[in-house]
Amino acid sequence: IGFYKKNLGYITDAAVNPDRRRFAVPEEAARHYIDLDHFGENAWRNMPRRWNDAVKKYSEDTLQAYGILPWHVYNQYHSLKNAFMLRDPALILKVSAELGHYIADAHVPLHTTENYNGQLTGQHGIHGFWESRLPELFARDYNFFVGRAAYIKDPQQEIWRAVVASHLAVDSVLRIEKQLSAIAGEKKYAFESRGRQTVKVYAHEYAAQYHQALHGMVERRMRGAVKMLCDFWYTAW
């Protein structure tokens, strides 16, 4: 804990590096999501958890096209374990920070569906609404103290557990916003000043209604990401 707390600033900054290179590294984008619904209505039940098994079933090209998030997290876990074995502090910090990014992505429901930004249901913008606007407005009241890190017996199954839980929440994320949008009218959006710019955003009142209707989902997923990252760090060590 002392090592990570001492390097908190670096970890915070480096955690967004995967996003920074998405447009520079062609293979990066697929690491942030998995479109489970592309593989069938109940694919989450019986989709191969191991990479080689999934390649045999679907082909690597197909997997790369529809996302490899859980498998990439598992690979990153092994990279972190190797960094600890090498006793390389710089590499440990780099992989630890980036592993946090991917584990966080795995806890966002919209990272597990082809309808990732509501573009298929007339809800364009819901991705940023759920994962950015709601935490921006309400995360100050969240409780991120999630207890001690625990050893994970099967890291591969653990990351899949998070992905499946996220995917099962997709319906609620979309359906609830759709229902609120139908009655919100012009009150759905507002304008806010950001530096020298005035930008259109989801209105605070509308966001509060959506946040309340989700019954703590965003906080639960964020807490889950925090706990899982701690567990992965500890297990790799």
Side-chain angles (χ1 to χ4, degrees), residues 7-90:
N7 292 284
L8 181 60
Y10 170 84
I11 293 170
T12 302
D13 293 337
V16 297
N17 284 344
D19 273 349
R20 289 178 176 141
R21 62 172 177 258
R22 284 188 71 161
F23 300 105
V25 180
E27 61 269 24
E28 179 63 41
R31 300 168 179 170
H32 295 250
Y33 66 91
I34 180 169
D35 294 340
L36 284 175
D37 39 17
H38 171 80
F39 299 95
E41 186 175 349
N42 293 310
W44 58 271
R45 292 182 184 275
N46 48 30
M47 195 167 187
R49 278 19 181 183
R50 298 185 183 280
W51 173 252
N52 289 338
D53 294 337
V55 169
K56 288 179 182 177
K57 185 171 183 178
Y58 299 112
S59 84
E60 184 169 352
D61 287 346
T62 299
L63 295 175
Q64 290 288 347
Y66 294 98
I68 60 170
L69 173 58
W71 298 292
H72 186 65
V73 167
Y74 187 58
N75 286 338
Q76 289 289 96
Y77 157 73
H78 279 286
S79 295
L80 181 57
K81 186 168 70 168
N82 290 337
F84 275 119
M85 291 178 69
L86 292 171
R87 297 175 179 266
D88 185 335

Side-chain angles (χ1 to χ4, degrees), residues 212-223:
Q212 184 176 7
L214 289 171
H215 298 294
M217 180 194 293
V218 179
E219 180 179 7
R220 287 195 303 274
R221 300 311 293 155
M222 291 182 75
R223 283 173 54 86

Side-chain angles (χ1 to χ4, degrees), residues 89-109:
L91 185 60
I92 291 168
L93 287 171
K94 176 183 182 297
V95 181
S96 293
E98 295 190 6
L99 179 61
H101 185 108
Y102 298 117
I103 286 178
D105 281 347
H107 283 77
V108 177

